[in-house]
Amino acid sequence: MTVVVPQTLKEALAFSSANPEAQIIQGGTDLMVEINFNHRKPTDVIALRRVEEIRNYAHSSDRSKLIVGAGLPYQKMEHGEIAELFPALAQAARTVGSPQIRAAGSIGGNLGTCSPAGDALPVLSALDAEVNLRTETTSRDVVIHDFMIGVKRNDRQPGELIVSVTLPIIDGWQGYAKVGVRNAMVISVASCCLVIDRKLGTVSVALGAVGPTIIRCRETEQWLATKIDLKSVFDVAPSLLKEFGDRIANESKPIDDHRSTAAYRRHAVATLSRRLLLRANTK
Ligand SMILES: Cc1cc2nc3c(=O)[nH]c(=O)nc-3n(C[C@H](O)[C@H](O)[C@H](O)COP(=O)(O)OP(=O)(O)OC[C@H]3O[C@@H](n4cnc5c(N)ncnc54)[C@H](O)[C@@H]3O)c2cc1C
């Protein structure tokens, strides 16, 4: 096995374009598990850990968006400017694994693995994030909904690196919540991100671990926007809250598996989404 350790993004792109089948590794918190279980046996590896350009974040020139490097570890999203601008991302980051996993694991790795239970992914979906992909000679931005194409399948092409994700800065409220089989160090059994854009008067709800990929609840989003004025502080009547959760559950497509049952997952997303809507109401 050969392992190359590029020091710059330019070098990394040159390596991946020259050897499109090489295995990319960032924090290794997904990949090393797969290698240890003999699920993957890479011959050539490109280790991105030293590429500082993708371990950072920056504002877009008009400051309406934040561009988050694919290699930025969760630890750096838990506090500071990212947490202020994207509280839901910080909340999701805080739920990932343990401090050690959060020091190594990255948003690019969550996208690369593309598990429906990945904690960053419902947040990216609710925010309508764009995934920025590059080779040595090409660059394209793919909206997150088109990037995630199935269970652990994404639209990344051989030779492409996920360089960053672009997140619109939204004036409103956002939150993330998940349930698992215990309170910490746990993969989601069901998760939910809710974002309210007060300027536009819209709501976005994205669900994790209840379908082959992250689910956006577009019908419920549109329904809710006709029921309450999302541009101001709103009241949620108990009957509306109940119907909201029921509609969210109806848009989920869970299955029974080793972590939980479809019935419990449906119940969980109804409860999580109701909780988030109530929290949004208090801000
Ligand atoms: C003990 C433990 C607990 C965990 N708990 C959670 C949890 O609570 N929530 C959760 O969501 N996940 C969890 N995970 C999974 C993992 O930590 C996350 O998915 C993390 O985001 C992976 O990031 P990474 O940088 O370590 O990815 P890596 O393992 O380095 O890579 C993962 C995949 O993405 C690809 N990839 C990585 N970076 C790029 C790039 N820049 N361009 C192209 N492809 C790339 C790799 O080729 C690989 O296929 C856990 C893992 C462990 C071991």
Side-chain angles (χ1 to χ4, degrees):
M1 183 166 88
T2 65
V3 180
V4 293
V5 187
Q7 308 290 313
T8 64
L9 181 57
K10 193 169 179 239
E11 258 178 55
L13 291 168
F15 281 131
S16 62
S17 295
N19 188 354
E21 300 308 325
Q23 179 68 60
I24 311 297
I25 186 169
Q26 178 67 52
T29 59
D30 273 326
L31 185 67
M32 290 312 297
V33 176
E34 293 203 9
I35 291 175
N36 287 343
F37 280 108
N38 279 327
H39 294 161
R40 287 215 218 172
K41 294 177 184 167
T43 47
D44 299 314
V45 174
I46 302 173
L48 299 180
R49 180 89 193 199
R50 301 253 170 88
V51 179
E52 280 303 320
E53 292 115 298
I54 62 166
R55 288 172 62 83
N56 235 314
Y57 68 89
H59 284 266
S60 60
S61 50
D62 64 358
R63 298 188 75 81
S64 67
K65 295 171 182 163
L66 203 72
I67 300 147
V68 178
L72 189 75
Y74 292 110
Q75 191 187 55
K76 305 278 183 203
M77 301 169 209
E78 292 179 59
H79 309 284
E81 194 175 15
I82 295 190
E84 278 162 33
L85 294 174
F86 302 101
L89 187 59
Q91 287 160 19
R94 286 182 205 121
T95 75
V96 174
S98 59
Q100 293 87 341
I101 296 294
R102 297 196 289 274
S106 66
I107 213 165
N110 221 222
L111 284 162
T113 299
C114 219
S115 158
D119 281 306
L121 305 183
V123 182
L124 301 187
S125 174
L127 291 170
D128 293 317
E130 275 183 353
V131 183
N132 319 122
L133 296 139
R134 282 177 63 183
T135 66
E136 207 173 17
T137 53
T138 64
S139 172
R140 65 186 180 114
D141 299 328
V142 182
V143 67
I144 181 78
H145 318 297
D146 295 334
F147 181 77
M148 302 179 292
I149 56 178
V151 181
K152 298 199 170 179
R153 286 177 54 228
N154 64 42
D155 182 46
R156 186 179 87 88
Q157 301 302 311
E160 279 184 329
L161 289 186
I162 304 165
V163 172
S164 55
V165 287
T166 301
L167 307 175
I169 297 172
I170 289 173
D171 176 8
W173 188 92
Q174 50 182 265
Y176 176 79
K178 87 179 190 188
V179 286
V181 294
R182 54 185 182 225
N183 282 339
M185 270 288 281
V186 69
I187 301 292
S188 287
V189 155
S191 63
C192 181
C193 179
L194 186 144
V195 174
I196 290 179
D197 187 325
R198 292 228 190 271
K199 230 182 192 166
L200 298 177
T202 56
V203 61
S204 311
V205 184
L207 307 178
V210 289
T213 182
I214 305 303
I215 292 177
R216 266 294 288 274
C217 302
R218 306 233 182 235
E219 285 179 20
T220 308
E221 292 172 4
Q222 282 164 20
W223 169 83
L224 190 67
T226 66
K227 294 289 170 190
I228 48 181
D229 179 10
L230 295 161
K231 287 188 177 167
S232 52
V233 178
F234 50 81
D235 272 332
V236 191
S239 58
L240 186 93
L241 194 63
K242 167 138 190 2
E243 186 170 352
F244 172 69
D246 291 347
R247 283 175 177 265
I248 293 290
N250 280 340
E251 289 202 56
S252 68
K253 299 184 182 81
I255 54 165
D256 293 341
D257 67 10
H258 61 289
R259 287 206 187 97
S260 190
T261 62
Y264 177 74
R265 286 183 156 118
R266 244 181 242 111
H267 169 76
V269 288
T271 304
L272 292 174
S273 61
R274 286 184 192 124
R275 269 185 207 159
L276 289 171
L277 188 61
L278 273 181
R279 280 179 208 161
N281 183 30
T282 60
K283 299 276 160 172

